[in-house]
Amino acid sequence: MKKLILSIAVLTGFALSLNAQNSQGKTDDMGRIALAAIVPEQATGIPQEARQMLVNKMSQIATQNGLGATAANPRFCIVPLVTVVSKEITPTAPPMQAVNLDVTFYIVDAASQNIFSQTNISVKGVGQTEDKAYIQALKNINVRAGQFKGFIEKGKEKIIEYYNSQCDVVLKGAQALAGQKKYEEALFVLLSVPDVCRECFDKSMDLSIEIYKQYANYKCTEYMAGAKAAWANMNADKAAEYLGKITPDMECYADAVRLTDEITQKMLADGANVWNFKMKQYDDSIEKDKMMIQAGKEIAVAWAYWGAAPYFNWDWSWLYQQK
Amino acid sequence: MKRLLLTFSLLAFAVLAFGQAKKPIIMVVPSDQYCISRGYKMEFNNQGLKQVLPDYKTALQTDPDLRLVITKMGQIMADRGFPLKDLEQELKNLEQERAESSMLTSSSSGSEMAESPIDALKRVAKADIIMDLDFEVKRQGPQKYIVFNLKGLDAYTAKQVSGVAGAGSPSTSASPELLLEEAVLSHMDNFNAGLMRHFEDMFAKGREVKVQIKVWANWGENLESEFGSDGNELSTIIEDWFADNCVEGRFNLSDATENFMKFEQVRIPMMRTDEKGRQRAVDTRSFVSDLRKYLNGMGIPSKLYMRGLGEAWLILGEK
């Protein structure tokens, strides 16, 4: 009897523990590539109100078939190209505008300017204004249409394929940028490699540490020069500002420490109060490589954000050629 | 006295004639020239082509003379048994309808009403006979007079069925309102007489309509394909059907290719007897529907598309 009760208890417990587990499947590698829906400013001719409708439709297409991303980091995007095939204005009361649109969706890499996949759909819309006609036409896009599934899948496959086959080119390109002292851009290129392309991702992370070191040393020289110049002018505060930016991972850190000591001694000898400036210290427990990758990421994001302007300011002229 | 008699006789005829037959909708519409020259216009850029269209809503909301003339005309026409459809009210109605249909959802599923682009395109003010109106108050020294131009147009055949043009009598003292009233009164009987001639002709020789036969692009056949036991071309079969069914065989095949046939001046009967022996009014839809059934019997499916009381398209190949 005891045995029976024990076995029932064990089995019930096992069944409960099974139920408590998350039954959701894991997203595969391809599913992890997030696509941002963007209607770039260069996509002219689309009325303002219709733009948002188009963004919503594209976001739905992305999320229906994997992951959607916000426009905050839109390297891989779905972008539309809307062509007016015909437009009619009826001489009725009130006049009605009928538009026949050809909407082409592209999955692109905004940085490398590659088109990975495309699909086309024709829609018609009628309204009292051009905006209303556009909105009605775009409303008719069925995001569940079979063609979009293939479109997204093909796009993601091509993205992975691109990084698997072009990894050397990407790495070389980053090195070349670093050689031109465009370290931020080089880090951005390396840190944009999606983690689903394992081999290339690992290689680019390794290279990003190297380039970050070059960047840090380059910056260190710059800060040291600034600090020395400030100290030459007896401007201790300005010198402190420069020295404060030098971190222990930079090559010239030792020189910076020496200069700090020199300034401190001089200030004390001149009868000043204790110059309580302290340089940055890192906790040794932090893994150095991880820290460098993180620092590199911050630099890359800052570059993309400030260096490239709103929407990341990709140049879309390659896709939207002006007439 | 003569005018009174004419009015009564016209009224009696109209009441008898239109007792059962489908009444055409008549609407007064200010002419394009009237609206555009007074700034009641809308400009569109149609793929590089500048298109100027009259803005009826603004014209009706801001032009008191126009409102006065339309009201007078409506009054006179209603007295003679032809109530007019009011353009301003129709435009308001359409706006209301548009708002209501966009808000209407199913209470159980929240579904919207089905609406194709063509359905949306059809939501405009429609009339079978348009009274195209143009007038202007002119000056001749101290005197003012009205120049008046009114055309009755069949919306489908684009034919002018009646028309009057001329000037009212000059006056130094009368206000523009009185001048307008006088001009409308003096011209409307002539206009109505023209309109009546058109209706009399319609009853004698049938209503004149337009029919177009078209072909869906994905249909494997066209109007030159051979059908039936005699191996006649489809266009010949259709032409023969028109000859058999039009009043006195009157129609005009004005243009044709292997993909379309354009029938104009097609005279369809005003009334017919249905299978149950009832007298029923005929319009283009019911007339072309018979052709659709006839072709269906030959294994040719088709879609019947209406363009109002006076025009229909039959598109062959599928529904």
Side-chain angles (χ1 to χ4, degrees):
Chain A
M1 187 63 190
K2 228 177 177 181
K3 242 182 197 172
L4 188 73
I5 292 170
L6 189 71
S7 43
I8 289 172
V10 168
L11 282 173
T12 317
F14 182 67
L16 281 174
S17 71
L18 268 183
N19 276 341
Q21 274 175 10
N22 185 349
S23 59
Q24 296 299 310
K26 251 174 139 181
T27 311
D28 60 2
D29 280 356
M30 259 182 26
R32 295 212 308 269
I33 297 178
L35 298 168
I38 289 178
V39 181
E41 284 303 313
Q42 286 97 324
T44 50
I46 308 172
Q48 207 54 44
E49 283 86 353
R51 280 174 179 268
Q52 195 49 49
M53 163 79 83
L54 206 48
V55 169
N56 293 346
K57 283 280 177 189
M58 291 191 299
S59 299
Q60 284 172 28
I61 291 170
T63 44
Q64 291 268 341
N65 299 289
L67 285 181
T70 59
N73 184 19
R75 168 140 195 183
F76 301 112
C77 325
I78 305 184
V79 288
L81 184 70
V82 180
T83 315
V84 182
V85 179
S86 66
K87 182 174 153 186
E88 303 296 335
I89 299 164
T90 63
T92 49
M96 299 293 271
Q97 300 202 32
V99 289
N100 190 349
L101 306 177
D102 218 16
V103 187
T104 309
F105 294 108
Y106 294 103
I107 292 179
V108 297
D109 177 352
S112 67
Q113 304 191 345
N114 273 307
I115 297 175
F116 295 116
S117 173
Q118 73 175 73
T119 190
N120 186 282
I121 192 163
S122 287
V123 282
K124 292 173 180 178
V126 174
Q128 268 183 272
T129 61
E130 194 179 359
D131 292 19
K132 283 184 179 176
Y134 260 82
I135 288 169
Q136 207 212 28
L138 298 176
K139 205 173 146 188
N140 291 334
I141 295 173
N142 179 11
V143 294
R144 287 186 180 82
Q147 72 184 99
F148 292 124
K149 193 172 163 52
F151 162 67
I152 300 276
E153 269 173 15
K154 194 180 168 199
K156 287 183 173 179
E157 263 172 35
K158 290 272 180 186
I159 290 173
I160 294 173
E161 207 179 287
Y162 170 78
Y163 278 109
N164 287 344
S165 60
Q166 299 283 314
C167 195
D168 292 348
V169 180
V170 173
L171 299 181
K172 278 272 175 221
Q175 278 170 335
L177 285 167
Q180 295 162 27
K181 300 209 184 329
K182 292 179 180 171
Y183 299 109
E184 294 100 327
E185 202 176 336
L187 286 169
F188 180 78
V189 169
L190 292 171
L191 294 161
S192 298
V193 174
D195 56 359
V196 291
C197 315
R198 290 278 156 70
E199 206 185 330
C200 189
F201 178 76
D202 291 344
K203 280 183 188 169
S204 62
M205 286 306 115
D206 291 346
L207 184 60
S208 77
I209 294 170
E210 217 172 278
I211 290 180
Y212 175 73
K213 279 181 192 162
Q214 290 175 27
Y215 168 78
N217 294 337
Y218 170 71
K219 281 297 197 193
C220 194
T221 326
E222 214 176 87
Y223 297 145
M224 270 305 286
K228 279 179 182 167
W231 182 231
N233 288 326
M234 298 305 283
N235 187 345
D237 289 342
K238 191 77 186 161
E241 197 185 314
Y242 279 118
L243 290 168
K245 287 178 185 168
I246 296 171
T247 50
D249 52 331
M250 295 178 177
E251 251 175 18
C252 63
Y253 185 70
D255 293 344
V257 173
R258 266 197 298 278
L259 182 62
T260 309
D261 288 344
E262 189 189 311
I263 296 170
T264 312
Q265 297 299 326
K266 173 77 175 134
M267 299 283 281
L268 288 173
D270 289 352
N273 287 332
V274 179
W275 195 51
N276 56 2
F277 169 73
K278 273 191 179 169
M279 292 195 60
K280 270 186 189 165
Q281 294 283 333
Y282 282 145
D283 187 347
D284 287 343
S285 64
I286 299 172
E287 285 177 64
K288 210 175 171 190
D289 283 0
K290 271 190 186 171
M291 181 202 77
M292 284 185 179
I293 290 173
Q294 190 50 41
K297 265 184 190 167
E298 281 162 19
I299 291 156
V301 168
W303 170 81
Y305 189 79
W306 297 110
Y311 267 145
F312 262 50
N313 256 349
W314 296 116
D315 175 19
W316 291 99
S317 53
W318 59 280
L319 189 62
Y320 300 99
Q321 284 168 5
Q322 296 295 320
K323 285 170 202 161
Chain B
M1 188 62 193
K2 216 176 171 186
R3 188 181 275 184
L4 195 69
L5 269 176
L6 179 73
T7 308
F8 274 115
S9 62
L10 282 173
L11 180 64
F13 182 79
V15 170
L16 280 175
F18 287 92
Q20 284 181 306
K22 293 211 171 178
K23 277 189 183 183
I25 295 166
I26 309 173
M27 190 189 275
V28 180
V29 178
S31 74
D32 285 13
Q33 191 274 335
Y34 181 88
C35 293
I36 293 167
S37 65
R38 282 161 182 79
Y40 311 131
K41 61 182 178 182
M42 287 185 259
E43 287 182 7
F44 299 95
N45 179 8
N46 187 359
Q47 294 178 298
L49 186 79
K50 190 180 156 196
Q51 211 168 331
V52 183
L53 291 175
D55 183 355
Y56 298 121
K57 196 178 169 190
T58 315
L60 292 161
Q61 281 175 344
T62 52
D63 191 331
D65 290 348
L66 180 65
R67 291 176 65 87
L68 183 77
V69 172
I70 290 177
T71 310
K72 273 284 152 204
M73 279 186 174
Q75 200 182 324
I76 295 166
M77 293 296 281
D79 287 348
R80 281 148 181 76
F82 298 109
L84 298 183
K85 200 177 194 182
D86 185 56
L87 177 60
E88 188 179 8
Q89 205 51 46
E90 180 67 2
L91 289 176
K92 276 188 202 165
N93 238 341
L94 286 168
E95 272 177 27
Q96 180 73 14
E97 190 191 319
R98 214 168 267 131
E100 277 177 32
S101 60
S102 67
M103 288 296 120
L104 198 65
T105 49
S106 148
S107 57
S108 51
S109 66
S111 169
E112 292 180 337
M113 278 196 298
E115 187 178 64
S116 70
I118 277 289
D119 300 337
L121 203 57
K122 290 249 178 202
R123 277 212 237 112
V124 292
K126 272 180 289 212
D128 304 301
I129 290 180
I130 292 165
M131 289 168 69
D132 187 80
L133 169 74
D134 185 11
F135 64 90
E136 201 176 345
V137 182
K138 290 204 168 186
R139 283 181 175 277
Q140 192 178 44
Q143 291 186 316
K144 275 190 264 177
Y145 65 101
I146 301 271
V147 179
F148 201 80
N149 188 356
L150 182 65
K151 283 190 277 186
L153 301 166
D154 186 316
Y156 311 103
T157 59
K159 275 187 173 176
Q160 183 172 326
V161 295
S162 179
V164 282
S169 33
S171 167
T172 41
S173 55
S175 64
E177 293 80 30
L178 277 175
L179 285 172
L180 279 169
E181 194 174 343
E182 188 266 335
V184 171
L185 281 169
S186 65
H187 286 102
M188 282 308 281
D189 281 334
N190 284 341
F191 180 82
N192 275 358
L195 211 55
M196 282 315 297
R197 271 196 300 280
H198 172 67
F199 293 143
E200 279 167 29
D201 175 74
M202 208 190 263
F203 271 86
K205 297 175 192 160
R207 189 195 294 277
E208 190 180 318
V209 299
K210 219 154 81 173
V211 179
Q212 291 202 52
I213 312 289
K214 293 165 184 269
V215 174
W216 289 115
N218 59 355
W219 192 39
E221 312 280 349
N222 62 31
L223 293 164
E224 283 176 357
S225 304
E226 290 168 8
F227 284 90
S229 51
D230 302 337
N232 278 334
E233 276 192 5
L234 186 54
S235 56
T236 315
I237 296 171
I238 293 171
E239 213 178 326
D240 288 347
W241 186 91
F242 273 89
D244 295 340
N245 289 278
C246 290
V247 177
E248 296 171 17
R250 284 166 187 255
F251 69 94
N252 177 17
L253 177 59
S254 60
D255 210 351
T257 68
E258 71 271 28
N259 293 320
F260 84 94
M261 294 172 86
K262 193 173 182 181
F263 292 95
E264 290 181 311
Q265 295 164 333
V266 178
R267 294 288 187 155
I268 64 168
M270 295 292 283
M271 306 294 291
R272 67 166 180 175
T273 315
D274 69 3
E275 302 88 41
K276 291 179 182 171
R278 290 176 299 196
Q279 281 288 304
R280 297 192 67 170
V282 180
D283 62 5
T284 333
R285 183 188 169 80
S286 54
F287 180 77
V288 180
S289 188
D290 288 345
L291 173 60
R292 192 185 62 78
K293 281 180 202 157
Y294 174 71
L295 292 176
N296 214 17
M298 296 174 73
I300 305 169
S302 54
K303 183 185 179 72
L304 177 55
Y305 174 74
M306 286 297 295
R307 287 201 66 215
L309 202 57
E311 187 174 346
W313 295 354
L314 192 66
I315 313 161
L316 310 180
E318 60 184 39
K319 277 250 176 190

